[in-house]
Coordinates of all heavy atoms in Angstrom, one line a residue:
R1 N -153.2 63.8 -54.4 CA -154.3 62.9 -54.1 C -153.7 61.5 -53.7 O -154.2 61.0 -52.7 CB -155.2 62.7 -55.4 CG -156.3 61.8 -55.2 CD -157.2 61.8 -56.5 NE -158.3 60.9 -56.4 CZ -158.4 59.6 -56.9 NH1 -157.3 59.1 -57.4 NH2 -159.5 58.9 -56.8
G2 N -152.8 61.0 -54.4 CA -152.2 59.7 -54.1 C -151.5 59.8 -52.7 O -151.6 58.8 -51.9
D3 N -150.8 60.9 -52.4 CA -150.1 61.1 -51.1 C -151.2 61.1 -50.0 O -151.0 60.5 -48.9 CB -149.3 62.3 -51.2 CG -148.4 62.4 -50.0 OD1 -147.7 61.4 -49.6 OD2 -148.2 63.5 -49.4
L4 N -152.3 61.8 -50.2 CA -153.3 61.9 -49.2 C -154.0 60.6 -48.9 O -154.3 60.2 -47.8 CB -154.4 62.9 -49.6 CG -154.0 64.4 -49.7 CD1 -155.0 65.3 -50.3 CD2 -153.7 64.9 -48.2
M5 N -154.2 59.8 -50.0 CA -154.8 58.5 -49.9 C -153.8 57.6 -49.1 O -154.3 56.8 -48.2 CB -155.1 57.9 -51.3 CG -156.2 58.6 -52.0 SD -156.3 58.2 -53.7 CE -156.8 56.5 -53.6
Q6 N -152.5 57.6 -49.4 CA -151.6 56.8 -48.7 C -151.5 57.1 -47.2 O -151.5 56.2 -46.4 CB -150.2 56.9 -49.3 CG -149.2 55.9 -48.8 CD -149.6 54.5 -49.2 OE1 -149.6 54.1 -50.4 NE2 -149.8 53.6 -48.2
K7 N -151.5 58.4 -46.9 CA -151.4 58.9 -45.5 C -152.7 58.5 -44.8 O -152.6 58.1 -43.6 CB -151.2 60.4 -45.5 CG -149.8 60.8 -45.8 CD -149.6 62.3 -45.8 CE -148.2 62.7 -46.2 NZ -148.0 64.2 -46.3
A8 N -153.8 58.5 -45.4 CA -155.1 58.1 -44.8 C -155.1 56.7 -44.3 O -155.7 56.3 -43.4 CB -156.2 58.4 -45.7
C9 N -154.3 55.9 -45.1 CA -154.2 54.4 -44.8 C -153.0 54.0 -44.1 O -152.8 52.8 -43.8 CB -154.3 53.6 -46.1 SG -156.0 53.8 -46.9
D10 N -152.1 54.9 -43.7 CA -150.9 54.6 -43.0 C -151.3 53.9 -41.6 O -152.1 54.4 -40.9 CB -150.0 55.8 -42.7 CG -149.2 56.2 -43.9 OD1 -149.2 55.4 -44.9 OD2 -148.6 57.3 -43.9
G11 N -150.6 52.8 -41.4 CA -150.8 52.1 -40.1 C -152.1 51.3 -39.9 O -152.3 50.8 -38.8
I12 N -152.8 51.2 -41.0 CA -154.1 50.4 -40.8 C -154.1 49.1 -41.7 O -155.1 48.4 -41.8 CB -155.3 51.2 -41.0 CG1 -155.4 51.9 -42.4 CG2 -155.5 52.3 -39.9 CD1 -156.7 52.6 -42.7
D13 N -153.1 48.9 -42.5 CA -152.9 47.7 -43.3 C -154.2 47.5 -44.2 O -154.9 46.5 -44.2 CB -152.7 46.4 -42.5 CG -152.2 45.3 -43.3 OD1 -151.6 45.6 -44.4 OD2 -152.4 44.1 -43.0
A14 N -154.4 48.6 -45.0 CA -155.6 48.6 -45.9 C -155.3 47.9 -47.2 O -154.1 47.8 -47.6 CB -156.1 50.0 -46.1
G15 N -156.4 47.6 -47.9 CA -156.2 46.9 -49.2 C -157.5 46.8 -50.0 O -158.5 47.3 -49.6
M16 N -157.4 46.1 -51.1 CA -158.5 46.0 -52.0 C -158.5 44.5 -52.5 O -157.5 43.9 -52.7 CB -158.6 47.0 -53.1 CG -158.5 48.4 -52.6 SD -158.7 49.7 -53.9 CE -160.4 49.6 -54.2
M17 N -159.7 44.0 -52.9 CA -159.8 42.6 -53.3 C -160.9 42.6 -54.4 O -162.0 43.1 -54.3 CB -160.2 41.8 -52.1 CG -160.3 40.3 -52.4 SD -160.3 39.3 -50.9 CE -161.9 39.7 -50.3
V18 N -160.5 41.9 -55.5 CA -161.5 41.7 -56.6 C -162.3 40.4 -56.4 O -161.7 39.4 -56.0 CB -160.7 41.7 -58.0 CG1 -159.8 40.6 -58.1 CG2 -161.7 41.8 -59.1
V19 N -163.5 40.5 -56.8 CA -164.4 39.4 -56.7 C -165.1 39.1 -58.0 O -165.7 40.0 -58.6 CB -165.5 39.6 -55.6 CG1 -166.4 38.4 -55.5 CG2 -164.9 39.9 -54.3
L20 N -164.9 37.9 -58.6 CA -165.4 37.6 -59.9 C -166.5 36.6 -59.8 O -166.4 35.6 -59.0 CB -164.3 37.1 -60.8 CG -163.1 37.9 -61.0 CD1 -162.1 37.2 -62.0 CD2 -163.5 39.3 -61.6
G21 N -167.6 36.8 -60.6 CA -168.6 35.7 -60.7 C -169.8 35.8 -59.8 O -170.7 35.0 -59.8
L22 N -169.9 36.9 -59.0 CA -171.1 37.1 -58.1 C -171.9 38.3 -58.6 O -171.3 39.3 -59.1 CB -170.6 37.3 -56.7 CG -170.1 36.0 -55.9 CD1 -169.8 36.4 -54.5 CD2 -171.1 34.9 -56.0
A23 N -173.1 38.3 -58.3 CA -174.0 39.5 -58.6 C -173.7 40.6 -57.5 O -173.2 40.3 -56.4 CB -175.5 39.1 -58.5
D24 N -173.9 41.8 -57.9 CA -173.6 43.0 -57.1 C -174.3 42.8 -55.7 O -173.6 43.1 -54.7 CB -174.0 44.3 -57.7 CG -173.2 44.6 -59.0 OD1 -172.2 44.0 -59.2 OD2 -173.7 45.5 -59.7
N25 N -175.5 42.5 -55.7 CA -176.3 42.5 -54.5 C -175.8 41.4 -53.5 O -175.9 41.5 -52.3 CB -177.8 42.3 -54.7 CG -178.1 41.0 -55.5 OD1 -177.5 40.6 -56.4 ND2 -179.2 40.4 -55.0
D26 N -175.2 40.3 -54.1 CA -174.7 39.2 -53.2 C -173.4 39.8 -52.5 O -173.3 39.5 -51.3 CB -174.3 38.0 -54.1 CG -175.5 37.3 -54.6 OD1 -176.6 37.4 -53.9 OD2 -175.4 36.6 -55.6
V27 N -172.6 40.5 -53.2 CA -171.4 41.0 -52.6 C -171.7 42.1 -51.6 O -171.2 42.2 -50.5 CB -170.4 41.6 -53.7 CG1 -169.1 42.1 -53.0 CG2 -170.0 40.5 -54.7
E28 N -172.7 42.9 -52.0 CA -173.1 44.0 -51.1 C -173.7 43.4 -49.8 O -173.4 43.9 -48.7 CB -174.2 44.8 -51.7 CG -173.7 45.7 -52.9 CD -174.8 46.3 -53.8 OE1 -176.0 45.8 -53.6 OE2 -174.5 47.1 -54.6
E29 N -174.4 42.3 -49.9 CA -175.0 41.7 -48.7 C -173.9 41.1 -47.8 O -174.0 41.2 -46.6 CB -176.0 40.7 -49.1 CG -176.8 40.0 -47.9 CD -177.8 39.1 -48.3 OE1 -178.3 39.1 -49.5 OE2 -178.3 38.3 -47.5
I30 N -173.0 40.5 -48.4 CA -171.9 39.9 -47.7 C -171.1 40.9 -46.9 O -170.7 40.8 -45.8 CB -171.0 39.0 -48.6 CG1 -171.7 37.7 -49.0 CG2 -169.6 38.7 -47.9 CD1 -171.0 37.0 -50.1
C31 N -170.8 42.1 -47.6 CA -170.1 43.2 -47.0 C -170.9 43.8 -45.8 O -170.3 44.1 -44.8 CB -169.7 44.2 -48.0 SG -168.4 43.7 -49.2
H32 N -172.2 43.9 -46.1 CA -173.0 44.5 -45.0 C -173.0 43.6 -43.8 O -172.9 44.1 -42.7 CB -174.5 44.6 -45.6 CG -175.5 45.1 -44.6 ND1 -176.2 44.2 -43.8 CD2 -175.8 46.3 -44.1 CE1 -177.0 44.9 -42.9 NE2 -176.8 46.2 -43.2
D33 N -173.2 42.3 -44.0 CA -173.2 41.4 -42.8 C -171.8 41.4 -42.1 O -171.8 41.4 -40.9 CB -173.5 40.0 -43.3 CG -174.9 39.8 -43.8 OD1 -175.7 40.7 -43.5 OD2 -175.2 38.8 -44.4
A34 N -170.7 41.6 -42.9 CA -169.4 41.7 -42.3 C -169.3 42.9 -41.4 O -168.7 42.9 -40.3 CB -168.3 41.6 -43.3
R35 N -169.8 44.1 -41.9 CA -169.7 45.3 -41.2 C -170.6 45.2 -39.9 O -170.2 45.7 -38.9 CB -170.2 46.5 -42.0 CG -169.2 46.9 -43.1 CD -169.5 48.3 -43.7 NE -170.8 48.4 -44.2 CZ -171.2 48.0 -45.4 NH1 -170.2 47.5 -46.3 NH2 -172.4 48.2 -45.9
E36 N -171.7 44.5 -40.0 CA -172.5 44.3 -38.8 C -171.8 43.6 -37.7 O -172.1 43.7 -36.5 CB -173.8 43.6 -39.2 CG -174.8 44.4 -40.1 CD -175.5 45.4 -39.3 OE1 -176.2 45.1 -38.3 OE2 -175.3 46.6 -39.6
S37 N -170.8 42.7 -38.1 CA -170.1 42.0 -37.1 C -168.8 42.6 -36.7 O -167.9 42.1 -36.1 CB -169.8 40.6 -37.7 OG -168.9 40.6 -38.8
G38 N -168.6 43.9 -37.2 CA -167.4 44.7 -36.8 C -166.3 44.8 -37.8 O -165.3 45.5 -37.5
K39 N -166.4 44.2 -38.9 CA -165.4 44.2 -39.9 C -165.5 45.5 -40.8 O -166.6 46.1 -40.9 CB -165.4 43.0 -40.8 CG -165.0 41.7 -40.1 CD -165.0 40.5 -41.0 CE -164.3 39.3 -40.3 NZ -165.0 39.0 -39.0

């Protein structure tokens, strides 16, 4: 599983980021708006 995950992300500089102190819906809305702009 770990190998498959790593291969799926090879060459795309993927990552993860923790966000503290915001409500779920606020983070969801910010991510939605970012995807709408192509992110």
Side-chain angles (χ1 to χ4, degrees):
R1 179 178 182 264
D3 191 43
L4 291 170
M5 292 169 67
Q6 189 65 63
K7 287 177 179 175
C9 292
D10 279 351
I12 59 174
D13 198 23
M16 304 185 76
M17 186 164 69
V18 64
V19 181
L20 303 180
L22 289 183
D24 295 346
N25 62 318
D26 290 334
V27 180
E28 290 165 353
E29 185 176 343
I30 289 169
C31 287
H32 175 269
D33 290 346
R35 288 196 302 275
E36 289 288 297
S37 68
K39 291 182 170 55

